[in-house]
Amino acid sequence: MRRALVLILTAVIAAAVVGGVARQATAAKPPLRLAVLSIPPAHPVAGRPWRFAVRVRRGSRAYTGAPPVLRGRGDTAMTVRTRRTGRAGDFAATVRFPTSGPWLLEVVVSRRRFVLGSFAVDVPVTELIRDPFAIAALPDGSLLIGQRDGPLLRADAHRAVSVFAPIANVTSVAPSGVATVLATDASGLHRLALDGTETSPPVALGAEAAVTADADGSVYAAFYENRVERLGSGGERTVFAGTGEDGYAGDGGPARLAALSHPHDVAVGPGGDIFIADSGNGRIRRVDRSTGVITTFTAAVGPPIALAFAPDGSLYSVGLARGPTPPAIWRTTADGSTTIVAEGPANDVTVGPNGTVYVNQWEQKRIARIDQRTHLIRTILRGR
């Protein structure tokens, strides 16, 4: 009994000693306090430097430990170590956001994290971009940008923008094979070499159209006036789909006898079939290349206004808002399975040779890519 009491008393004394040591340690190290002296500007721009500064205190004294580290999480990770300034406890660094998009910033001091918040980072203005309306990806990874007000532009793989051709009021652009580019404007269809020069006189179309080309060099032109025409490589012009009457009919029969409703775009699939953005009917229609029979490929997308095939055979479309579904970019696989890859406004879409999906945002004067991981639209170029 006496031995048990001794053991209990010893444990109590040990606990009291440990508690006293802990209180002394706590008293010896007051909590860290962080004051942010300078943060990113209200509208930060990727690549543009800004000054970051903080003041760190431990209790009432200046912090003398290792310099704080600024960390950022966006499309990539960013780590910036600060330096001491002339005042004790003050630290600063020059920072550049490497990419646009949302960024979360935090400061790490002596293993403690201080969250600064989220920042929406933009891209610099490109003066040549004034009114971007249509885009197309070329085999070398560059982008063509057609404008309603301004020349036809080319953005290389490093996003350097230059004038490609002095064609204004462009309604669509599309590659034709590996050495020719198609562009349409109010005067008709232009065929351009990769240096921007015209390879032949423009072909009058009579109305604005969206065009694409197949492997044989034939051009398909979608007209808002409820029809799609085919321009053969020899210059012959025929009705390919649609009677010109606004409506929805004809699935299972000849495409030229079908009813379309204000088609906005046309695309050639991997097997040569022709796909039509039947916008007014909220459908993507498919015309079998060998039989000329038209069917509905999918009605699960928002009313489609632009189409583009990816190297893996999937079809991307820009869909307008419909009911509770917002405007979005959709992906439809070969079997017709459809999902939204990103929500947001756009009016054209194209896919690069590496599978990157780009969209044009006419009203916002921006060209963007789709982040397939986060399903966000990331600006890569913007006009004034």
Side-chain angles (χ1 to χ4, degrees):
M1 184 69 172
R2 182 176 299 173
R3 184 176 182 181
L5 290 174
V6 170
L7 290 175
I8 292 173
L9 182 59
T10 301
V12 170
I13 293 172
V17 171
V18 170
V21 171
R23 284 192 295 273
Q24 289 178 10
T26 302
K29 285 194 174 182
L32 286 171
R33 295 186 292 114
L34 181 77
V36 180
L37 306 179
S38 177
I39 60 174
H43 302 286
V45 175
R48 187 170 297 171
W50 51 275
R51 186 175 186 272
F52 171 70
V54 292
R55 177 170 296 157
V56 186
R57 294 287 184 269
R58 187 176 290 282
S60 61
R61 298 176 178 271
Y63 171 75
T64 59
V69 174
L70 176 68
R71 291 179 180 172
R73 287 177 289 170
D75 275 1
T76 59
M78 176 176 68
T79 300
V80 179
R81 185 171 293 278
T82 61
R83 295 183 178 182
R84 300 180 188 279
T85 67
R87 180 170 179 173
D90 285 11
F91 302 86
T94 298
V95 183
R96 290 177 175 84
F97 288 107
T99 61
S100 63
W103 280 83
L104 178 66
L105 297 184
E106 65 180 19
V107 180
V108 180
V109 188
S110 188
R111 298 184 180 180
R112 183 174 174 188
R113 297 169 57 244
F114 297 86
V115 177
L116 300 185
S118 296
F119 300 85
V121 181
D122 214 333
V123 300
V125 169
T126 300
E127 295 293 342
L128 284 172
I129 299 176
R130 299 199 296 267
D131 197 22
F133 186 77
I135 56 172
L138 298 182
D140 65 356
S142 61
L143 293 175
L144 290 181
I145 306 169
Q147 303 191 94
R148 286 291 200 176
D149 177 21
L152 179 59
L153 306 176
R154 176 180 177 269
D156 66 18
H158 302 290
R159 308 291 181 251
V161 179
S162 58
V163 175
F164 182 75
I167 303 174
N169 198 22
V170 172
T171 55
S172 74
V173 287
S176 178
V178 296
T180 309
V181 172
L182 305 176
T184 58
D185 64 1
S187 65
L189 172 67
H190 301 262
R191 296 179 187 269
L192 308 171
L194 293 183
D195 62 0
T197 58
E198 301 236 20
T199 61
S200 59
V203 177
L205 298 177
E208 292 185 348
V211 297
T212 191
D214 65 15
D216 298 330
S218 295
V219 175
Y220 298 85
F223 294 91
Y224 185 80
E225 293 78 11
N226 311 310
R227 71 187 191 281
V228 175
E229 295 187 5
R230 179 179 180 272
L231 287 73
S233 55
E236 64 277 12
R237 183 174 174 177
T238 58
V239 173
F240 179 76
T243 62
E245 296 294 326
D246 183 7
Y248 171 68
D251 274 0
R256 65 182 182 278
L257 301 180
L260 305 175
S261 181
H262 307 311
H264 276 66
D265 203 5
V266 61
V268 179
D273 291 346
I274 310 302
F275 293 75
I276 302 168
D278 194 1
S279 309
N281 289 317
R283 298 165 182 264
I284 299 175
R285 311 282 284 275
R286 174 169 55 190
V287 181
D288 187 285
R289 178 178 175 84
S290 59
T291 66
V293 171
I294 191 171
T295 55
T296 292
F297 177 56
T298 181
V301 298
I305 58 173
L307 306 174
F309 274 96
D312 65 1
S314 56
L315 177 60
Y316 288 85
S317 60
V318 173
L320 301 176
R322 178 168 60 185
T325 303
I329 293 83
W330 303 74
R331 177 177 181 266
T332 305
T333 59
D335 62 1
S337 175
T338 300
T339 56
I340 291 178
V341 296
E343 294 183 2
N347 71 294
D348 202 4
V349 61
T350 190
V351 185
N354 63 352
T356 301
V357 181
Y358 301 94
V359 295
N360 188 80
Q361 297 177 301
W362 183 30
E363 293 183 355
Q364 292 79 15
K365 297 185 179 181
R366 293 171 182 265
I367 292 88
R369 66 174 177 82
I370 304 300
D371 187 325
Q372 301 279 12
R373 179 179 60 86
T374 62
H375 303 288
L376 296 175
I377 299 176
R378 307 287 203 192
T379 299
I380 60 171
L381 292 167
R382 68 171 171 136
R384 185 170 296 283

